[in-house]
Amino acid sequence: MPTMPVGGLIARAVDDAADVIVRNAKIYTGDSSRPHAGALAIRDGRVTVVGDDAEVAPFMGPATTVVDALGRRVVPGLNDAHLHVIRGGLNYVLELRWDGVTSLRQGLAMLREQAARTPKGQWVRVVGGWSAEQFAERRLPTPAELNAAAPDTPVFVLHLYQSAIMNRAALQAVGYTKDTPDPKGGQIVRGRNGEPNGMLLAAPSALILYSTLAKAPLLEGEDKKTSTRHFLRELNRFGLTSAIDAAGGFQNFPDNYGTVTELARDGQLSLRIAYHLFPQTPGQELDDLRRWIEMVRPEDGDEWLRLNGAGENLTWAAADFENFAEPRPELSGDYETEFEKAVRLLMEHGWGFRLHATYDETIRRDLAVFEKLAAEGLFPAGNRWLFDHAETVSRDSLDRIAALGGAMSVQNRMSFQGEVFTRRYGPGAAAEAPPVRAMLERGLTVGAGTDATRVSSYNPWVALHWLISGRTLGGLAIRPPQNRVDRETALAMYTRAGAALTGEEDVKGILRPGFFGDLAVLSDDYFTVPEQDIPHIESLLTVVGGRIVHAAAEYEGLDEELPPISPTWSPVAHFGGYQTSPRTGLPGVRQAELLGEAVAESEQHRQWRARRGLAPETASTPFDPCFVL
């Protein structure tokens, strides 16, 4: 691209010219040996130089793209350590996103508008990324409101792990009637006439919600690729350059992995993905694992798409549920038998795993299995393994995890469910859900993520805000200072720790020569922006492996071109993804604090002037006739 000779950067015909140079920046590298820099260069996908403008100048060639950061903050590319990116990509353009929407009134207006353009046979679906606590109204939509907004178009609105709201057209589309039995672990709420009223409740299993959603139409062919590419671009918008896909229900291997595999083959991924494999059928888990062990091996793939192991479930019977509106589920008393067989099989074949576990009661039982295998010399056998979620994990369990060489992956599920958790278990338990600082104090690797997209939003800055502030979307402070982390630690959890969970800590997570050229130029300085504004940060320019995959504001048009969104009636084509909301004003207490600071500073200035004879020794009282009695 044409470049002005600014600051000594003049194009030279050099053999080792950089592909991309970022200059005039405030770079936080994450590298303890050189944490700060002003410029860097990338060649062949890797960082080659980290320094200042003068140090990168010799590597500017005629074809080098020079990015002037204009003094903005640059950070290593973010890495979501628990994101359902493959499933999310296959459905992205079909979903109306309420992420960031500040009122139910606005959400219903979006829904009404989308229903009007949705063709017959298709649904309007709102799937995750929001909580009633983020709305000014602090409530869910009602079935009556969905019926009024969309009388004829099926509407399905998923709320966390707790419930779904459907209109009459959706109930008809899935065939729910007064004769439909309640599924195990779920409830179809019925009116006085016995007919379903549109509410589905997870009691406590969310399978009723997900199995109902699975009845909606799916994308086919090239539309799946287009949807996935636009979802990855949406993640790039927030500075994400990597993610660990945690698999999950209704994500079959190899069928549902075909789209990302084809995109990787064609060089069209804009996000690095390490994926897991999750047995889908209860009673068939061991057969699935044996079959996969014959097909693939962990770390098969390349820097863009690679297998990272099994999970986040190994056997269905060992999985607890995270619906905090319901009591903790009691798992079967003998699930360890099949669970041990699964873990033993993985260890014998060099497979690591991640394990969904919400409650300490589950974690203790799982650890007993691991300790039994460790006594036989079979665990962990050099394999990476970790617990996910762990909202109520105890200190004793953390000690046992550390002794077995495990790691942790935490998500900001409490941003969305903090209020309901607090109502059930009390503020004391909520203050430790999960005990992030206790994990870090034991030297555990703790990756951070979102668990998007069916519950949490995929916006990483919402998760970072939760780690730092301890606040929910509704503003409730549930985690005290002793269980929060500072901004540098939170960023490390979102960069270096995620790389360690996939065994890539020697090539990813920091900006150092030889490491991947993955970075984000931020809209605001993450380290200095007011705490309440952290969720509003976006990336203005995201680079993955030296490729500019997202560009906005001054950099608009520098990123790679995407095909148009298809189908044309897609909610994303009209509303986009995450809805950027206006920044809130300062809280009243903080306003008063700042006013007091300003008054004190003014008095210091007056005293300085008085000492130099530029002002009276005593402050004069301003005359205001309103105060003359």
Side-chain angles (χ1 to χ4, degrees):
M1 61 179 290
T3 305
M4 294 180 64
V6 178
L9 288 178
I10 302 173
R12 298 177 174 86
V14 293
D15 293 335
D16 55 352
D19 299 316
V20 175
I21 285 176
V22 179
R23 62 168 296 272
N24 188 22
K26 291 188 294 186
I27 301 174
Y28 174 77
T29 67
D31 181 0
S32 58
S33 65
R34 185 168 190 171
H36 304 286
L40 61 76
I42 300 170
R43 177 181 169 86
D44 294 333
R46 304 273 181 143
V47 176
T48 53
V49 181
V50 176
D52 56 25
D53 282 9
E55 290 173 279
V56 301
F59 301 95
M60 179 181 163
T64 301
T65 297
V66 179
V67 175
D68 187 339
L70 300 173
R72 291 192 175 97
R73 176 64 66 186
V74 176
V75 297
L78 302 184
N79 185 348
D80 190 317
H82 187 120
L83 175 65
H84 297 278
V85 60
I86 293 174
R87 186 177 65 199
L90 294 175
N91 296 284
Y92 176 62
V93 301
L94 293 176
E95 296 173 352
L96 177 65
R97 303 302 305 180
W98 279 358
D99 311 46
V101 172
T102 56
S103 73
L104 178 57
R105 180 179 180 180
Q106 178 189 352
L108 288 172
M110 294 168 66
L111 193 152
R112 184 180 300 107
E113 181 182 337
Q114 181 58 36
R117 72 168 61 92
T118 300
K120 186 176 181 179
Q122 293 290 340
W123 293 22
V124 177
R125 59 197 95 180
V126 179
V127 183
W130 66 282
S131 164
E133 302 298 335
Q134 79 191 45
F135 292 151
E137 299 89 342
R138 303 280 174 147
R139 68 173 180 86
L140 302 178
T142 65
E145 287 172 322
L146 300 191
N147 288 327
D152 304 312
T153 303
V155 174
F156 178 95
V157 177
L158 178 68
H159 181 242
L160 306 178
Y161 300 100
Q162 302 171 14
S163 60
I165 310 102
M166 306 171 69
N167 67 350
R168 280 189 297 267
L171 290 171
Q172 292 169 2
V174 300
Y176 288 169
T177 69
K178 64 180 179 181
D179 299 320
T180 304
D182 287 343
K184 182 179 179 181
Q187 180 185 357
I188 301 172
V189 181
R190 305 166 196 274
R192 66 177 68 90
N193 60 359
E195 293 288 348
N197 74 352
M199 290 295 302
L200 304 180
L201 299 180
S205 170
L207 289 178
I208 182 177
L209 313 179
Y210 300 154
S211 60
T212 303
L213 177 60
K215 299 176 186 293
L218 301 175
L219 293 171
E220 299 292 340
E222 288 297 312
D223 283 347
K224 292 192 291 186
K225 290 185 183 180
T226 300
S227 178
T228 297
R229 293 186 68 186
H230 278 275
F231 183 49
L232 300 186
R233 176 65 61 86
E234 174 75 353
L235 299 177
N236 299 148
R237 167 189 167 192
F238 295 100
L240 281 162
T241 59
S242 293
I244 309 176
D245 186 276
F250 301 92
Q251 183 169 309
N252 292 290
F253 180 81
D255 300 348
N256 296 132
Y257 292 72
T259 297
V260 292
T261 301
E262 291 180 30
L263 291 175
R265 180 198 63 201
D266 296 338
Q268 294 179 335
L269 290 180
S270 63
L271 187 89
R272 305 183 192 276
I273 300 173
Y275 63 90
H276 286 255
L277 300 183
F278 180 128
Q280 295 295 308
T281 307
Q284 189 180 303
E285 298 97 332
L286 289 173
D287 291 336
D288 283 343
L289 291 173
R290 291 189 187 98
R291 178 166 53 88
W292 297 337
I293 286 169
E294 294 297 320
M295 295 172 62
V296 289
R297 288 190 55 79
E299 300 184 9
D300 276 358
D302 57 22
E303 65 190 54
W304 289 97
L305 183 67
R306 66 207 306 261
L307 174 63
N308 198 49
E312 62 181 292
N313 276 1
L314 303 184
T315 61
W316 279 92
D320 56 20
F321 299 107
E322 54 283 292
N323 178 6
F324 300 129
E326 296 284 337
R328 178 180 63 83
E330 293 293 336
L331 302 183
S332 65
D334 60 352
Y335 80 69
E336 286 89 347
T337 302
E338 291 299 301
F339 180 70
E340 179 184 330
K341 292 178 182 177
V343 177
R344 186 182 294 271
L345 177 67
L346 294 172
M347 294 299 99
E348 290 174 345
H349 290 85
W351 276 57
F353 62 87
R354 67 188 311 154
L355 198 59
H356 167 109
T358 301
Y359 299 98
D360 191 55
E361 289 81 354
T362 308
I363 291 170
R364 291 200 305 267
R365 291 176 66 176
D366 295 345
L367 285 170
V369 172
F370 302 158
E371 288 163 344
K372 176 183 176 181
L373 295 176
E376 300 176 27
L378 292 177
F379 191 92
N383 299 302
R384 292 187 302 274
W385 71 278
L386 63 93
F387 276 115
D388 275 306
H389 315 312
E391 274 83 3
T392 72
V393 65
S394 66
R395 265 60 172 177
D396 176 67
S397 292
L398 290 176
D399 290 337
R400 294 165 69 188
I401 293 167
L404 290 168
M408 306 298 297
S409 176
V410 299
Q411 299 77 41
N412 64 315
R413 303 196 302 183
M414 298 297 281
S415 290
F416 296 81
Q417 300 189 88
E419 285 84 358
V420 68
F421 185 98
T422 302
R423 287 194 292 270
R424 176 164 296 280
Y425 296 109
E432 292 286 301
V436 177
R437 286 280 285 273
M439 297 174 185
L440 294 168
E441 288 165 0
R442 284 157 175 78
L444 291 165
T445 296
V446 185
T450 58
D451 202 8
T453 60
R454 286 188 171 176
V455 175
S456 302
S457 172
Y458 48 76
N459 184 342
W461 301 102
V462 174
L464 284 159
H465 176 258
W466 168 77
L467 285 167
I468 295 160
S469 72
R471 292 184 181 274
T472 68
L473 288 185
L476 178 65
I478 58 175
R479 288 171 45 247
Q482 58 267 30
N483 194 28
R484 303 174 197 165
V485 298
D486 60 40
R487 299 188 191 201
E488 188 171 1
T489 301
L491 187 59
M493 294 170 67
Y494 240 101
T495 51
R496 296 199 303 272
L501 295 182
T502 56
E504 297 175 282
E505 61 269 36
D506 58 344
V507 293
K508 188 162 67 174
I510 64 175
L511 295 172
R512 175 194 289 173
F515 278 59
F516 292 153
D518 301 351
L519 59 85
V521 180
L522 302 182
S523 59
D524 299 274
D525 191 337
Y526 164 71
F527 291 105
T528 61
V529 71
E531 187 177 273
Q532 70 269 17
D533 288 335
I534 292 175
H536 298 279
I537 294 174
E538 296 189 17
S539 175
L540 298 183
L541 185 124
T542 305
V543 178
V544 187
R547 294 165 46 199
I548 298 177
V549 296
H550 165 74
E554 295 89 348
Y555 311 111
E556 186 175 344
L558 293 181
D559 49 359
E560 300 169 349
E561 187 175 7
L562 289 182
I565 293 175
S566 177
T568 56
W569 54 265
S570 161
V572 175
H574 297 271
F575 296 108
Y578 189 94
Q579 301 295 301
T580 302
S581 58
R583 300 189 181 200
T584 57
L586 289 172
V589 172
R590 183 56 181 152
Q591 287 180 340
E593 290 174 348
L594 290 174
L595 181 60
E597 292 171 6
V599 170
E601 185 177 358
S602 177
E603 174 60 16
Q604 290 173 356
H605 288 178
R606 189 200 65 77
Q607 292 175 5
W608 182 89
R609 289 169 57 82
R611 286 194 296 270
R612 288 156 178 78
L614 302 175
E617 287 293 333
T618 58
S620 60
T621 302
F623 173 75
D624 188 336
C626 293
F627 291 94
V628 176
L629 300 179

